[in-house]
Amino acid sequence: MYGKNLIDGQWRDGNGTTVTHNPSDLNEQVGTYAVADRSMAAQAIESARKAAPRWAAGNIQQRADLLRGVGDAIGARAEEIGLLLSREEGKTRVEGFAEAKRAAQVFYFFAGETLRQNGLFLPGLRDGHNVIVSREPLGVVSLITPWNFPIAVPAWKTAAALAYGNTVVLKPSEFAPGCSVLLARILTEAGLPDGVFNLVMGNGRELGPTLINGADGVSFTGATDTGRAVLQQAALSMTKTQLELGGKNPLVVLDDADLDQAVQIALDGCFFQTGQRCTATSRLIVTRKIHDAFVDALAARVRALRVGHALDEGTQLGPVATAPQLQKDLMFIERANNDGVECVAGGTRVECRTPGLYLAPTLFIGTHNAMHLNQHEVFGPVVGVTRVDDFEEALAVATDHELALTAGICTNDLRTAERFRHGVRAGMVMVNTPTAGVAYHAPFGGRKPSGFGGRELGAGAVEFFTEGKTSYIHHGVI
Ligand code: UN1
């Protein structure tokens, strides 16, 4: 695949190219992409600015129909998109396909939202007055997206932005831009007017300031430190900012949990998608009586996971997506080993039939919350178990972290589940279900510093992607 930037309806070469490689097989080149420079980023913003008034004023039924058509096209090409995703990012074939399907559904959802931009009507306090609160598009939005969900996150930011009448400049991760190029082609083929959606590829540090300061809003998903830099930059122009950042998501397993179910929930939350989800379970907090049985059963399941080429039949865990991420995962393992905790599964790289970035899913036991492993986001298949005495201690440990994205609990006691749901500091709570794997029709996001500036998805997206307008009407009728 050769992918170009899309600016004002023109496919544009850039200032050189970058190449991506398949993390399942580093010998395989996946894509070559034109790299945009700052002046092209500025042109993309300008093109979105020019297209904004007409798009904002456009007929909402037509806009809804267009977004539905985009959903149809993504769905029809889900196999192709999923395959590219698996080759470029390393998700298994099943995971890649599911992500592409999810992107289609997101477009259907936001096609509907186009028609549901509800306002508020208030009788005025003064005789003969009404007050109307209505919504307007924010304007030009820059969307900066990560490598770990190369189609779902660009889709859910883009669909929401367009549905609420904004124009877009998307900058995907340099590590996996291919799906965004396909998305840009699909949007163009669906008949989106020139300039309503623009794509620029390249380095965030290089393009970020232009994209952030030139836009009315910036929506970013990625690491917490980068999010801080985005926010600092946005402060210069007061650009409205939405940040979806890191997690250190706890899963509490209580003595009364269904053991088999809890093991499955932990396995999925910690390791599927190679642990590369901001919502992945990254601290297991287990009460005393169930601890040994849980750890034994989970370790056996983790050791049995089949790591391999993302496209091989039977692979359950693809490779780590990027070489820097693999280095980071290995550093976490080394630090945990140096901290003297016991590794009961994995802990090393794995050799497969092709040269790839393979890491065995890794489980440590005997950890505690203050350890390096439990303090920082790994973003890989490396997790520690902390043993606690009871629910109170579990809740305290779960909440004892500044990151607050998702938090889960496995218990059969509804009252305890409710105490956890109510008491834990997190943006999302999962009861008897994995911390990762969210629904597109529900608001998504975390509390600071895991998230900032409002929720994405579901009924949450409208808050960021629109501005409210409060109008006082003196109609004079009493
Ligand atoms: C999920 O858990 O299904 O980057 C989605 C991420 C999140 C999306 C998680 N923005 O991992």
Side-chain angles (χ1 to χ4, degrees):
M1 112 107 67
Y2 179 56
K4 294 189 183 190
N5 302 288
L6 179 65
I7 299 173
D8 201 13
Q10 307 294 311
W11 293 102
R12 299 261 308 268
D13 281 317
N15 200 1
T17 55
T18 57
V19 167
T20 57
H21 291 91
N22 185 341
S24 297
D25 182 354
L26 296 171
N27 292 330
E28 184 191 328
Q29 196 170 306
V30 180
T32 304
Y33 304 97
V35 177
D37 58 17
R38 279 186 193 188
S39 78
M40 289 173 71
Q43 289 163 32
I45 292 280
E46 211 175 293
S47 129
R49 183 71 63 201
K50 203 174 64 184
R54 276 192 73 181
W55 181 248
N59 180 282
I60 54 170
Q61 181 65 61
Q62 281 173 11
R63 204 193 288 162
D65 291 345
L66 192 144
L67 294 180
R68 173 158 285 281
V70 172
D72 287 341
I74 293 176
R77 293 170 69 170
E79 201 115 9
E80 176 198 354
I81 296 169
L83 190 64
L84 176 64
L85 198 166
S86 294
R87 289 175 59 224
E88 198 157 69
E89 196 268 351
K91 279 199 176 100
T92 63
R93 192 186 282 271
V94 174
E95 291 169 342
F97 183 69
E99 190 183 326
K101 281 288 201 199
R102 189 202 279 210
Q105 284 158 343
V106 160
F107 269 91
Y108 292 145
F109 177 81
F110 281 106
E113 284 297 280
T114 306
L115 309 180
R116 275 191 291 269
Q117 302 187 45
N118 303 334
L120 196 63
F121 175 88
L122 304 166
L125 294 179
R126 285 170 284 172
D127 288 344
H129 284 70
N130 290 332
V131 182
I132 296 169
V133 185
S134 55
R135 295 201 175 272
E136 293 182 357
L138 187 50
V140 173
V141 292
S142 289
L143 311 177
I144 305 177
T145 58
W147 49 256
N148 68 324
F149 279 93
I151 189 62
V153 173
W156 79 44
K157 289 188 197 293
T158 301
L162 296 178
Y164 298 123
N166 303 283
T167 55
V168 170
V169 180
L170 170 67
K171 194 208 84 64
S173 161
E174 289 169 285
F175 287 107
C179 290
S180 290
V181 174
L182 292 185
L183 178 63
R185 289 180 188 164
I186 287 170
L187 287 164
T188 307
E189 285 158 19
L192 202 67
D194 290 351
V196 173
F197 174 89
N198 303 273
L199 173 73
V200 290
M201 292 175 287
N203 180 266
R205 268 179 231 271
E206 172 71 16
L207 305 181
T210 308
L211 295 180
I212 294 165
N213 297 133
D216 302 303
V218 57
S219 178
F220 168 82
T221 297
T224 299
D225 285 349
T226 318
R228 280 204 179 88
V230 169
L231 189 56
Q232 272 174 337
Q233 186 69 39
L236 300 176
S237 48
M238 293 280 190
T239 299
K240 191 175 179 184
T241 304
Q242 178 182 56
L243 305 172
E244 297 300 342
L245 308 174
K248 195 68 202 171
N249 314 302
L251 175 70
V252 168
V253 179
L254 295 183
D255 290 344
D256 72 349
D258 176 321
L259 180 64
D260 291 346
Q261 189 191 45
V263 167
Q264 186 60 47
I265 288 168
L267 192 77
D268 177 336
C270 295
F271 299 109
F272 287 1
Q273 295 184 25
T274 319
Q276 299 172 143
R277 295 186 277 188
C278 58
T279 46
T281 303
S282 47
R283 292 181 295 143
L284 289 167
I285 301 164
V286 185
T287 48
R288 207 162 10 131
K289 280 196 204 122
I290 200 172
H291 177 274
D292 290 357
F294 174 81
V295 161
D296 288 350
L298 180 62
R301 293 287 302 278
V302 176
R303 287 192 293 262
L305 284 172
R306 287 187 299 275
V307 178
H309 193 296
L311 298 177
D312 281 355
E313 199 67 43
T315 292
Q316 291 172 296
L317 229 67
V320 175
T322 75
Q325 183 60 54
L326 178 60
Q327 286 317 312
K328 195 172 159 202
D329 296 350
L330 290 167
M331 181 272 289
F332 271 97
I333 292 172
E334 193 183 319
R335 285 283 296 261
N337 282 327
N338 291 343
D339 283 338
V341 288
E342 188 184 344
C343 182
V344 291
T348 56
R349 292 192 62 171
V350 183
E351 294 286 322
C352 294
R353 67 172 180 82
T354 47
L357 305 172
Y358 299 108
L359 180 66
T362 300
L363 187 67
F364 287 98
I365 60 170
T367 74
H368 54 85
N369 222 32
M371 279 179 52
H372 176 260
L373 176 65
N374 288 330
Q375 281 299 305
H376 304 279
E377 184 177 43
V378 181
F379 218 66
V382 183
V383 182
V385 180
T386 298
R387 184 163 60 182
V388 292
D389 281 340
D390 52 23
F391 171 74
E392 272 68 31
E393 191 184 354
L395 179 60
V397 172
T399 297
D400 179 25
H401 202 284
E402 64 157 6
L403 293 173
L405 187 59
T406 65
I409 188 164
C410 294
T411 176
N412 277 320
D413 183 335
L414 185 57
R415 287 171 59 106
T416 312
E418 177 55 18
R419 282 170 66 199
F420 182 80
R421 192 197 67 75
H422 184 75
V424 73
R425 191 174 161 275
M428 294 170 283
V429 177
M430 314 298 198
V431 176
N432 292 326
T433 193
T435 59
V438 301
Y440 57 83
H441 71 311
F444 174 94
R447 295 173 66 155
K448 70 159 191 166
S450 287
F452 179 92
R455 299 292 192 248
E456 296 194 280
L457 295 175
V462 71
E463 292 300 333
F464 174 74
F465 286 105
T466 64
E467 287 282 9
K469 179 176 274 176
T470 305
S471 307
Y472 291 77
I473 316 287
H474 183 192
H475 52 72
V477 179
I478 300 177

